[in-house]
Amino acid sequence: MSQHLKPIAAVTGSLALAATLTACGGSSAASGEKVVTVYSADGLKGEAGDGWYDKVFKDFEKKTGIKVEYVEGGSGEMVQRAVREKSNTQADVLVTLPPFIQQADGKGLLQAYSPKNADKVSGADKSADGKWISVVNNYFGFVHNKKELPAAPRTWEELLDGKFKNKLQYSTPGVAGDGTAVVIKAMHDFGGKEPAMEYLKKLQANNVGPSSSTSKLAPKVDKGEILVANGDVQMNFAQAKSMPNLGIWFPAKQGGKPTTFALPYAAGLVNKAPHSENGKKLLDFMLEEEAQRQVSAIGGGFPARTDVKPTDANAIELAKLMNGVEIFEPDWADIDKNLASYVDAWKSATGS
């Protein structure tokens, strides 16, 4: 195994050297600053500085001398911030969940750049025009408190039970990527917008209320303040290391199978980025083999590169978790086009 890896390591090493030499030759031509600013959806940075971003950013800085400035929030929130700053761009790299990466592209926030090893990421996980690419693969899910609610609910319908009154919360569709995912999954599972909104209207009786960020919900579930919340597999799996009461599950429609869909962390180079050369180097670095192997081992996620097949304990546990769950593929072009109307339908159904 290690012998097999040596040539790859040698190649990436020489690429790294080339990248470093380029950096010496005047990275960030505009300013020469050794900095790169990342605007990202939450989930990849560890609560205790032990997440995938923490490791990757530290290694990147060590290798290139480029310091990563990091700003975090909900997917929609990060896109909105970048839109507000369009006349004075601050971010170099934007990382969000779909459909917000498509939304960012539609608003002219991204410039085309195909990182090294982009060819090893499947077509569904990158845009055809090189505006964005997945750096970490991931799936939508829910969490429950294993202590207070040892058996995870099986169906959406179970969540309408009175015992979940004020004990259930999901992040806000249109603002948070995982919140938007609640609407996407409900529309798939219930067979369309109308029946999904009818269900979410009933569910509102038990919902605690809005949350702009999904990562803030898991600690509430772990403490038992609420019993159920939405999330995503990578973020919740990573959080469960320090939150022992978190259990991940996938709701089914009564009589159906549990379902989920891929919700990758997709990265793009920001248009008119102040340090675009540094942004390119960081995107390259995130798709290097070592960083991709660390996606499961450190980040609790799934590598974006199809040729990287980790066998660490986390990778095995994640495969087990996904066993028996039906994975569907949303029509992202439709969702991007109709997102505002879906969010409006959700607002009027729930009175939000």
Side-chain angles (χ1 to χ4, degrees):
M1 183 81 175
S2 58
Q3 281 181 325
H4 171 66
L5 292 178
K6 272 177 193 160
I8 299 168
V11 172
T12 50
S14 62
L15 291 177
L17 181 63
T20 315
L21 293 172
T22 318
C24 300
S27 110
S28 316
S31 61
E33 276 186 284
K34 287 280 200 171
V35 69
V36 61
T37 300
V38 177
Y39 281 11
S40 178
D42 45 7
L44 291 174
K45 206 166 194 311
E47 304 274 327
D50 54 356
W52 186 69
Y53 271 163
D54 301 287
K55 176 76 174 133
V56 167
F57 292 167
K58 192 176 159 191
D59 290 350
F60 176 72
E61 189 174 344
K62 192 174 165 186
K63 182 171 159 180
T64 62
I66 298 164
K67 185 172 167 43
V68 180
E69 300 287 352
Y70 179 70
V71 179
E72 179 182 278
S75 284
E77 204 185 332
M78 289 296 93
V79 172
Q80 284 157 19
R81 179 166 173 165
V83 167
R84 285 197 303 272
E85 295 169 351
K86 243 178 145 179
S87 57
N88 179 25
T89 312
Q90 302 295 308
D92 301 301
V93 172
L94 178 69
V95 185
T96 75
L97 307 180
F100 295 97
I101 197 73
Q102 289 89 344
Q103 190 184 79
D105 187 19
K107 290 180 184 295
L109 292 176
L110 305 175
Q111 58 172 303
Y113 175 65
S114 189
K116 292 184 181 88
N117 295 307
D119 59 322
K120 297 179 178 79
V121 174
S122 83
D125 294 329
K126 60 188 177 191
S127 70
D129 60 0
K131 294 282 184 66
W132 58 265
I133 190 163
S134 300
V135 289
V136 169
N137 268 343
N138 191 16
Y139 295 93
F140 177 59
F142 276 69
V143 283
H144 68 109
N145 179 298
K146 292 194 291 190
K147 195 175 164 192
E148 309 281 333
L149 193 68
R154 219 190 64 73
T155 66
W156 285 105
E157 287 82 358
E158 281 176 59
L159 297 178
L160 301 175
D161 192 285
K163 73 174 178 188
F164 290 109
K165 188 159 179 65
N166 295 326
K167 288 288 182 182
L168 172 151
Q169 191 173 14
Y170 61 91
S171 51
T172 310
V175 175
D178 289 324
T180 307
V182 172
V183 170
I184 294 168
K185 180 169 150 62
M187 281 169 57
H188 170 270
D189 290 1
F190 287 96
K193 183 169 84 169
E194 267 64 45
M197 297 309 157
E198 215 171 285
Y199 169 79
L200 291 168
K201 182 179 185 171
K202 291 179 199 161
L203 187 67
Q204 196 63 12
N206 289 343
N207 188 12
V208 169
S211 171
S212 65
S213 165
T214 316
S215 64
K216 292 185 171 77
L217 301 181
K220 293 170 79 172
V221 173
D222 183 58
K223 289 177 196 140
E225 287 173 30
I226 54 177
L227 296 175
V228 169
N230 68 318
D232 60 68
V233 174
Q234 176 279 325
M235 177 174 69
N236 296 143
F237 189 87
Q239 288 172 316
K241 299 294 174 195
S242 60
M243 299 178 197
N245 297 322
L246 278 195
I248 298 170
W249 67 288
F250 306 91
K253 184 179 183 292
Q254 216 155 17
K257 271 182 157 181
T259 69
T260 188
F261 60 96
L263 207 53
Y265 289 90
L269 188 66
V270 176
N271 202 13
K272 299 180 182 147
H275 315 102
S276 74
E277 287 309 307
N278 294 349
K280 288 174 184 176
K281 288 186 180 71
L282 181 61
L283 288 169
D284 288 351
F285 191 80
M286 285 174 167
L287 285 175
E288 279 186 12
E289 186 177 1
E290 190 184 352
Q292 286 292 300
R293 285 201 176 278
Q294 292 164 347
V295 166
S296 57
I298 293 170
F302 305 81
R305 277 176 57 169
T306 55
D307 64 326
V308 174
K309 301 190 188 303
T311 54
D312 58 89
N314 282 357
I316 292 162
E317 213 178 314
L318 286 161
K320 216 180 285 178
L321 185 67
M322 301 302 296
N323 197 20
V325 182
E326 196 176 273
I327 296 164
F328 66 92
E329 202 172 297
D331 181 346
W332 290 116
D334 166 77
I335 292 158
D336 179 38
K337 197 170 111 192
N338 296 302
L339 183 62
S341 74
Y342 296 152
V343 172
D344 285 346
W346 171 81
K347 282 178 180 167
S348 68
T350 57
S352 299

